[in-house]
Amino acid sequence: MAKRYLTTPIYYVNAEPHIGHAYTNLATDTLARYYRLKGDEVFFLTGTDEHGEKVEHTAKEQGQEPQNFVDGVVKTFQQLWDDLELTHSDFIRTTDQRHVKAVQQIFQQLYDQGDIYLDTYEGPYCIHCEAYWTAGRLDEEDNCPDCHREVKYISEESYFFRLTKYLPELQKYLEENPDFVRPEGRYNEVLKLLDQGVEDLSISRTKFSWGIPVPFDTEHVVYVWFDALLNYLSGIGYPGAEFSQWWPPEIQIIGKDILRFHAVFWPCMLMALDLDLPRRIHAHGWWTLRGDKISKSLGNVVDPRDLADRYGKDALRYFLLKRIPFGADGTLSDQDIVEVINGDLANNLGNLVNRSLTMVKKFADGVIPQQPEQATDNDLSNLAQKIRAEFIDEMENASFDRALKAIFQLVAETNRWLQEKAPWKLNRETDGEQLDFILYNICESINEVAYLIEPVMPDSSAQIRQRLGLTEKNKAPLNERSWGELQGGEKITIGQPLFPRIDR
Ligand code: ME8
């Protein structure tokens, strides 16, 4: 059984989570469910990034001790993931002792092996991004090139990580593994970053105290990004036996804003630790609202819970993953959400299920006909097998929109097939066999759709299968699946519309 380790970024706790964070986690949850559907063993890690100057500032502003403050905000993240029914295996906090211990141990090891040295950092620092810059990289107004906020000039003694020592190896690795960073545009961006030149990384600060103390020099706290990236190790028990079972990650999902940290700093840190690199880093795009990135600092955040309450959890997942390619930016609007729900979900999928089950009730007494001999080889079953293969290909690339498009092609074709075969024109007395053949295949096609949409719409998938008289027990893994799970004889239930149309 293959083991797959999947990660999300760990989020800053200077404010509560919003739809952008939920997007990353829902996408990762979808992949986790997909691998489980294949029968793989999955470790899905998420968590919170709790140290650093930004968090310390916010805690102070609120008149709280940092630890108290972070303990409060962390709960809002954990509660949200529970409300959205995410299937993460663990939740790592950078204030967890297991994490603090791992960071200190790694810092010591890299120091002992000569990869960390003491020097002075002088230059601009963006507190919002918790990022060091060189003067030449600032924007035209000498602000942070990423978030365009004012930077602060710092001059302090700092430990540095000998990043430059590992750059040639990283360059070579990237050339040999063009799939390491996805999508392709982001891969090219990383090559460009390397072309522009990268320096050794300052990895400790002395001017504030909310961080992990450097083990051999407690005047210093570890730079928040160096601390945070190591969650991917500490979260699975580095350096213990559990860790080696899961390492390296199958995929690390991030937003495009934090590409540099994950595709340049992080691999160099892993090389220094003599660990394999993750198989893939996939950077997705941003959700925007009226042209602006949705972010806590712009104050235009959208609460994922509101959207889930209004439209349903499955519909929200479907919208986010179907609307844009996983890598592109997207605009969030109620109008678009309603359009997708009414179109794809209510008119196409919901309608097909309802219409087909109603026919089974009317023409076969509510019992799915026995599997006919031709059941496994006809135009609908052949199409479904082809679509299943396409779905797998797309999901392996985290191309959720295309994977869903494939499934909905099967929905559309099933609708068309039903229309063409027109069972309502047949007479049970004289055309019983043909009638059963059609009804059986339509039901099996719906079953196929329900099976494949599980990673994206788990509740709807279970609902449809239940209505077909199936349970989630003994479900064959994806790679072993073939047309014909329905045996015939299952009693169907029609039920309420799965996706009621929404009036604008
Ligand atoms: O960067 N659209 O944390 P963070 C899509 N702690 N995704 C969005 C988004 C939007 N508008 N806004 C945020 C950090 N995200 C660090 C990470 S990892 C070792 C440390 C998502 O709270 C997206 O995944 O600022 C982005 O990369 C992440 O939230 C940034 O979260």
Side-chain angles (χ1 to χ4, degrees), residues 123-162:
Y125 188 81
C126 173
I127 297 183
H128 177 77
C129 299
E130 296 280 14
Y132 296 96
W133 295 106
T134 47
R137 294 286 309 281
L138 297 180
D139 72 6
E140 284 161 9
E141 265 122 51
D142 282 342
N143 288 330
C144 169
D146 273 355
C147 74
H148 306 287
R149 285 183 182 74
E150 203 177 321
V151 290
K152 154 171 128 171
Y153 278 80
I154 58 178
S155 167
E156 58 191 72
E157 188 185 70
S158 174
Y159 286 95
F160 283 76
F161 169 55
R162 244 179 250 290

Side-chain angles (χ1 to χ4, degrees), residues 78-89:
Q78 289 170 329
Q79 189 61 51
L80 175 63
W81 306 148
D82 286 349
D83 290 348
L84 293 176
E85 295 179 86
L86 297 194
T87 58
H88 48 291
S89 320

Side-chain angles (χ1 to χ4, degrees), residues 53-346:
E53 205 169 358
K54 179 161 68 169
V55 172
E56 190 182 77
H57 272 187
T58 315
K60 259 194 201 134
E61 268 165 26
Q62 309 218 352
Q64 292 192 51
E65 284 304 315
Q67 187 66 56
N68 249 341
F69 170 72
V70 299
D71 286 348
V73 186
V74 162
K75 289 201 187 86
T76 65
F77 278 88
Q78 289 170 329
Q79 189 61 51
L80 175 63
W81 306 148
D82 286 349
D83 290 348
L84 293 176
E85 295 179 86
L86 297 194
T87 58
H88 48 291
S89 320
D90 206 347
F91 186 101
I92 179 98
R93 301 180 54 180
T94 54
T95 51
D96 284 348
Q97 269 318 301
R98 56 175 170 159
H99 176 74
V100 172
K101 239 177 90 185
V103 170
Q104 290 188 321
Q105 183 187 334
I106 288 167
F107 207 101
Q108 182 76 54
Q109 180 192 329
L110 294 180
Y111 181 70
D112 293 344
Q113 74 189 40
D115 280 335
I116 288 178
Y117 60 91
L118 188 63
D119 203 337
T120 303
Y121 180 82
E122 271 179 40
Y125 188 81
C126 173
I127 297 183
H128 177 77
C129 299
E130 296 280 14
Y132 296 96
W133 295 106
T134 47
R137 294 286 309 281
L138 297 180
D139 72 6
E140 284 161 9
E141 265 122 51
D142 282 342
N143 288 330
C144 169
D146 273 355
C147 74
H148 306 287
R149 285 183 182 74
E150 203 177 321
V151 290
K152 154 171 128 171
Y153 278 80
I154 58 178
S155 167
E156 58 191 72
E157 188 185 70
S158 174
Y159 286 95
F160 283 76
F161 169 55
R162 244 179 250 290
L163 186 82
T164 48
K165 174 172 153 194
Y166 296 97
L167 287 177
E169 201 181 327
L170 175 60
Q171 185 87 42
K172 182 159 174 275
Y173 190 86
L174 283 163
E175 276 158 22
E176 287 168 3
N177 299 277
D179 284 339
F180 177 53
V181 179
R182 298 279 81 196
E184 199 185 350
R186 299 290 157 220
Y187 170 78
N188 293 331
E189 191 180 319
V190 174
L191 294 182
K192 209 165 132 202
L193 281 171
L194 293 183
D195 267 358
Q196 286 168 347
V198 179
E199 297 177 346
D200 281 351
L201 182 66
S202 160
I203 54 164
S204 77
R205 301 284 311 275
T206 54
K207 296 283 164 64
F208 68 95
S209 58
W210 182 236
I212 299 179
V214 168
F216 47 84
D217 187 350
T218 50
E219 292 291 298
H220 291 246
V221 292
V222 177
Y223 168 47
V224 63
W225 267 102
F226 196 80
D227 162 353
L229 287 163
L230 294 174
N231 92 85
Y232 302 131
L233 302 181
S234 66
I236 48 167
Y238 180 84
E242 164 107 31
F243 167 79
S244 1
Q245 275 187 45
W246 294 106
W247 196 260
E250 176 65 33
I251 185 163
Q252 300 205 269
I253 297 204
I254 57 169
K256 64 179 182 179
D257 46 333
I258 52 177
L259 182 65
R260 189 166 64 107
F261 300 97
H262 284 83
V264 181
F265 301 168
W266 174 229
C268 290
M269 288 162 68
L270 290 172
M271 285 170 178
L273 291 168
D274 204 14
L275 291 172
D276 288 341
L277 301 194
R279 298 201 182 95
R280 269 176 302 163
I281 292 174
H282 195 116
H284 65 66
W286 287 340
W287 283 97
T288 61
L289 202 62
R290 292 181 277 278
D292 291 319
K293 180 189 176 203
I294 294 176
S295 76
K296 46 211 165 196
S297 44
L298 284 178
N300 61 353
V301 296
V302 174
D303 185 343
R305 238 173 312 231
D306 285 351
L307 294 181
D309 288 348
R310 219 168 331 143
Y311 300 116
K313 286 194 275 277
D314 278 12
L316 175 63
R317 292 170 74 108
Y318 180 82
F319 170 80
L320 292 172
L321 297 175
K322 171 73 189 312
R323 185 72 184 177
I324 51 169
F326 198 53
D329 293 344
T331 330
L332 197 67
S333 83
D334 282 300
Q335 194 184 340
D336 291 346
I337 300 180
V338 169
E339 192 183 298
V340 165
I341 292 179
N342 284 350
D344 292 6
L345 300 183

Side-chain angles (χ1 to χ4, degrees), residues 445-493:
S445 188
I446 292 172
N447 175 27
E448 183 72 32
V449 170
Y451 182 98
L452 296 181
I453 59 167
E454 194 275 336
V456 177
M457 296 199 284
D459 291 347
S460 314
S461 165
Q463 275 263 351
I464 299 174
R465 286 174 56 87
Q466 218 172 33
R467 289 178 192 198
L468 289 168
L470 291 167
T471 62
E472 297 309 283
K473 274 189 230 141
N474 307 325
K475 196 156 96 173
L478 183 54
N479 292 342
E480 289 165 29
R481 184 173 170 81
S482 55
W483 182 267
E485 184 187 10
L486 285 168
Q487 296 298 302
E490 292 88 353
K491 215 171 153 8
I492 59 103
T493 339

Side-chain angles (χ1 to χ4, degrees), residues 370-378 381 433 437 440-441 483:
Q370 288 305 312
Q371 194 180 115
E373 268 178 26
Q374 328 87 300
T376 51
D377 184 15
N378 61 72
S381 66
E433 219 172 287
F437 169 76
Y440 177 88
N441 278 289
W483 182 267

Side-chain angles (χ1 to χ4, degrees), residues 402-448:
R402 296 166 65 113
L404 286 168
K405 216 162 157 191
I407 301 179
F408 274 73
Q409 193 197 337
L410 182 58
V411 172
E413 281 302 308
T414 308
N415 256 322
R416 204 195 47 74
W417 197 81
L418 184 58
Q419 206 57 32
E420 179 191 299
K421 302 281 176 205
W424 49 89
K425 290 188 186 153
L426 301 178
N427 182 330
R428 173 144 299 282
E429 307 281 286
T430 50
D431 315 305
E433 219 172 287
Q434 173 66 359
L435 188 58
D436 284 351
F437 169 76
I438 300 166
L439 294 177
Y440 177 88
N441 278 289
I442 291 289
C443 288
E444 183 60 21
S445 188
I446 292 172
N447 175 27
E448 183 72 32

